[in-house]
């Protein structure tokens, strides 16, 4: 008779699965709470202690760590010496293992727990069972996910036993689980962003229809070890699930939105803002953001940091927008915006981004850096013309915007509204010309923000011709004096931040 060992925290579908195993001739053995659950359901299930001869020790810390358990998992059934040792030590072969682990991730998110209380949720025996069974998967079926019970039973019905290919797949799944579990524990013990050995663990949320383009496969994963808020915690109130490009653009929009405290609206296309505006009322901010670039916003992503009411919904509804993200929608607004089936409505959390490290894959490796959460450390006016408090606020608005534009980047802004955005150009004066041409006559009296220093004074010259009043940029070029002299000739105020914001 085959032997199944069960030890689970998640008891989803446990009883019907165990019943099916018994029907198929398996003898059941289980640990503690799992054994009680099965016995109370009327199943014949032996406690693990009948095999080991030991009660659980140290308040349950040691239950399954025993030679009779791991010998029954690791022994090679086709080797005579292993068979002889198993017989000599009265070790039965274990043919199927059902294990899932203590919910350490849940303990991490549970408020009020001490460090010692959280560490009590570190699973030792379960991880060992999964690894032993996975190593010997030629003979042992290992199940770490209740979602695999049905497929396993169907394979048994169709083939008389679990086929080798499925056992190998299940073993790989179990090892991915233990790897993720260990990575979460290691990060909890020491949250080092740049360790010598980096193990990142994410859980698959869903496959995506495709990636950036239809010929690229893609999927969405979430970091389950921490509550990051943002898109990972957002609720889809209407429309199809977001695509790969939608998610990228929405993430960019939310990152920009978190820069501003006032009621704010951000419109994004291809991960670059096409309109950013703040105002005392969210409806006014929407109108300004739309007016900033009424062409590019078509088919874009819009994020707001306040409640979308019916008046705001009526203003947005006529326009084709792929995604609208907001922390709340009134019932009337939601009913109206839902009338367009292709539109996605996403309710976001208000939490600021908590991720402090970014990772980018490269061929054969990974780049990892601290997230750019700094706007600037200091402001230094370097020109004869000194900006007043109102102009400084306008410069800060523009610098917050240019921080999130692909380099080389220039932003023209006035009155808490972007007027022109030059993104992703190979030279800085080219980016300035694009931004100024978009702003047109509205550039008169506006401010200009640059993500990096001016290597020569040409950007100042084109800004002066357009009527720019003030400039904010990091400074740091060996030719800074040329740009400063040009500003002084034209009566333009210029402020250095000392902080560059390249974005690739």
């Amino acid at each position: 008779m085959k032997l199944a060992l069960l030890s689970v925290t998640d008891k989803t579908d446990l009883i019907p699965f165990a019943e099916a195993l018994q029907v198929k001739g398996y003898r059941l053995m289980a640990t503690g709470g799992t054994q009680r659950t099965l016995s109370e359901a009327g199943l014949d299930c032996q406690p693990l202690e009948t095999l080991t001869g030991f009660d659980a020790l140290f308040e349950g810390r040691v239950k399954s760590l025993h030679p009779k358990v791991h010998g029954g998992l690791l022994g090679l059934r086709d080797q005579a010496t292993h068979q002889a040792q198993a017989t000599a030590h009265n070790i039965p072969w274990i043919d199927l293992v059902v294990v899932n682990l203590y919910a350490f991730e849940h303990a991490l998110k549970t408020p009020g727990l001490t460090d010692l209380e959280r560490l009590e949720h570190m699973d030792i025996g379960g991880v060992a069972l999964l690894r032993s069974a996975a190593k010997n998967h030629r003979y042992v079926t290992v199940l770490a996910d209740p979602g695999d019970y049905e497929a396993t039973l169907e394979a048994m019905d169709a083939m008389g036993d679990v086929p080798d290919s499925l056992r190998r797949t299940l073993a790989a799944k179990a090892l991915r689980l233990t790897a993720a579990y260990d990575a979460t524990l290691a990060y909890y013990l020491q949250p080092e962003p740049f360790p010598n050995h980096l193990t990142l663990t994410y859980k698959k949320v869903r496959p995506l229809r495709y990636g950036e383009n239809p010929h690229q496969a893609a999927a969405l994963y979430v970091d389950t070890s921490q509550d990051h808020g943002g898109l990972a915690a957002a609720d889809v109130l209407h429309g199809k699930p977001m695509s790969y490009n939608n998610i990228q653009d929405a993430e960019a929009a939310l990152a920009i939105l978190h820069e501003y405290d006032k009621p704010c609206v951000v419109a994004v296309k291809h991960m670059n803002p096409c309109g950013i505006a703040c105002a005392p009322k969210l409806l006014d901010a929407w109108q300004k953001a739309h007016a900033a670039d009424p062409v590019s916003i078509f088919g874009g992503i819009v994020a707001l940091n306040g409640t979308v009411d019916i008046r705001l919904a009526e203003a947005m509804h006529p326009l084709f927008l792929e995604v609208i993200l907001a922390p709340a929608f009134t019932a009337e607004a939601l009913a109206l915006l839902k009338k367009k089936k292709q539109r996605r409505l996403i309710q976001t959390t208000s939490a600021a981004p908590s991720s402090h490290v970014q990772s980018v894959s490269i061929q054969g490796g990974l780049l990892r850096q601290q997230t750019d959460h700094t706007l600037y450390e200091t402001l230094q006016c370097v020109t004869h013309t000194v900006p007043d408090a109102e102009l400084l606020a306008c410069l800060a608005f523009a610098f917050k915007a240019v921080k999130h534009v692909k380099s080389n980047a220039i932003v023209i802004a006035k009155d808490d509204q972007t007027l022109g955005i030059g993104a992703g150009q190979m030279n800085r004066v080219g980016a300035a010309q694009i931004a100024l041409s978009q702003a047109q006559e509205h550039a008169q009296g506006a401010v200009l923000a640059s993500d990096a220093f001016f290597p020569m004074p040409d950007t100042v010259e084109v800004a002066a011709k357009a009527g720019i009043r003030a400039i904010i940029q990091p400074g740091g070029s060996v030719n800074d004096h040329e740009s400063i002299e040009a500003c002084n000739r034209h009566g333009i105020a210029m402020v250095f931040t000392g902080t560059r914001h390249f974005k690739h």
Side-chain angles (χ1 to χ4, degrees), residues 133-189:
K135 178 174 181 175
N136 211 24
H137 67 271
R138 283 189 298 160
Y139 308 102
V140 182
T141 300
V142 54
L143 290 154
D145 181 358
D148 293 320
Y149 293 169
E150 184 176 354
T152 301
L153 292 174
E154 288 175 353
M156 290 178 178
D157 290 337
M159 306 183 71
D161 201 354
V162 182
D164 293 346
S165 59
L166 180 55
R167 283 202 304 272
R168 190 178 184 88
T169 297
L170 293 172
K173 188 170 185 177
L175 291 174
R176 288 192 185 99
L177 174 65
T178 60
Y181 197 80
D182 286 344
T184 301
L185 288 164
Y187 185 82
Y188 171 71
L189 292 174

Side-chain angles (χ1 to χ4, degrees), residues 354-368:
S354 59
S355 178
H356 298 292
V357 184
Q358 294 173 314
S359 301
V360 178
S361 60
I362 59 173
Q363 187 169 351
L366 190 76
L367 287 173
R368 197 161 164 84

Side-chain angles (χ1 to χ4, degrees), residues 93-398:
W93 297 136
I94 300 173
D95 304 284
L96 185 142
V97 172
V98 184
V99 172
N100 48 65
L101 307 177
Y102 293 159
F104 185 74
E105 290 173 354
H106 177 72
L108 285 180
K109 298 174 184 178
T110 302
L113 292 184
T114 66
D115 179 64
L116 290 177
E117 287 170 334
R118 286 196 171 97
L119 289 176
E120 283 304 310
H121 289 80
M122 181 192 298
D123 202 313
I124 305 300
V127 172
L129 289 172
L130 290 176
R131 290 183 65 85
S132 290
K135 178 174 181 175
N136 211 24
H137 67 271
R138 283 189 298 160
Y139 308 102
V140 182
T141 300
V142 54
L143 290 154
D145 181 358
D148 293 320
Y149 293 169
E150 184 176 354
T152 301
L153 292 174
E154 288 175 353
M156 290 178 178
D157 290 337
M159 306 183 71
D161 201 354
V162 182
D164 293 346
S165 59
L166 180 55
R167 283 202 304 272
R168 190 178 184 88
T169 297
L170 293 172
K173 188 170 185 177
L175 291 174
R176 288 192 185 99
L177 174 65
T178 60
Y181 197 80
D182 286 344
T184 301
L185 288 164
Y187 185 82
Y188 171 71
L189 292 174
Q190 187 176 35
E192 166 60 53
F194 306 108
N196 289 336
H197 295 278
L198 176 66
T199 304
L200 301 177
T201 176
Y202 292 84
K203 185 175 182 180
K204 188 176 179 180
V205 176
R206 60 182 173 89
L208 300 175
R209 186 179 175 190
Y210 53 78
E212 284 187 285
N213 300 291
H215 60 276
Q216 295 173 271
L220 173 64
Y221 289 80
V222 65
D223 180 356
T224 59
S225 65
Q226 300 177 66
D227 185 7
H228 289 294
L231 286 178
D235 294 323
V236 179
L237 303 180
H238 173 71
K240 297 181 294 185
M242 287 196 292
S243 69
Y244 183 97
N245 291 332
N246 289 156
I247 293 168
Q248 289 268 65
D249 286 345
E251 180 69 13
L254 291 176
I256 299 168
L257 196 64
H258 283 299
E259 297 282 355
Y260 298 97
D261 297 323
K262 298 178 183 178
C264 184
V265 176
V266 175
V268 166
K269 283 288 281 289
H270 300 296
M271 295 185 68
N272 278 308
C274 56
I276 305 171
C278 297
K281 294 183 179 180
L282 205 56
L283 176 59
D284 296 332
W286 156 255
Q287 291 168 341
K288 290 168 68 176
H290 178 266
D293 189 346
V295 175
S296 298
I297 197 173
F298 182 83
I301 306 289
V302 171
L304 311 93
N305 61 0
T307 299
V308 177
D309 60 19
I310 185 60
R311 289 189 62 202
L312 184 51
E314 287 171 344
M316 291 192 293
H317 182 62
L319 188 66
F320 170 54
L321 298 171
E322 284 259 0
V323 182
I324 300 174
L325 303 106
F329 298 79
T330 66
E332 287 180 309
L334 205 56
L336 175 61
L337 294 172
K338 281 183 175 181
K339 289 183 178 180
K340 291 192 176 180
K341 293 183 180 180
Q342 298 303 314
R343 176 182 290 151
R344 298 161 173 90
L345 303 176
I346 311 296
Q347 184 171 342
T348 60
T349 65
S350 58
S354 59
S355 178
H356 298 292
V357 184
Q358 294 173 314
S359 301
V360 178
S361 60
I362 59 173
Q363 187 169 351
L366 190 76
L367 287 173
R368 197 161 164 84
Q369 67 170 353
Q370 291 179 329
T371 304
D372 186 4
H373 288 315
T374 299
L375 185 62
Y376 48 72
E377 297 293 342
T378 59
L379 289 178
Q380 178 190 7
C381 181
V382 294
T383 52
H384 298 326
T385 302
V386 178
D388 58 18
E390 183 179 350
L391 194 54
L392 281 173
C394 190
L395 289 167
F397 173 92

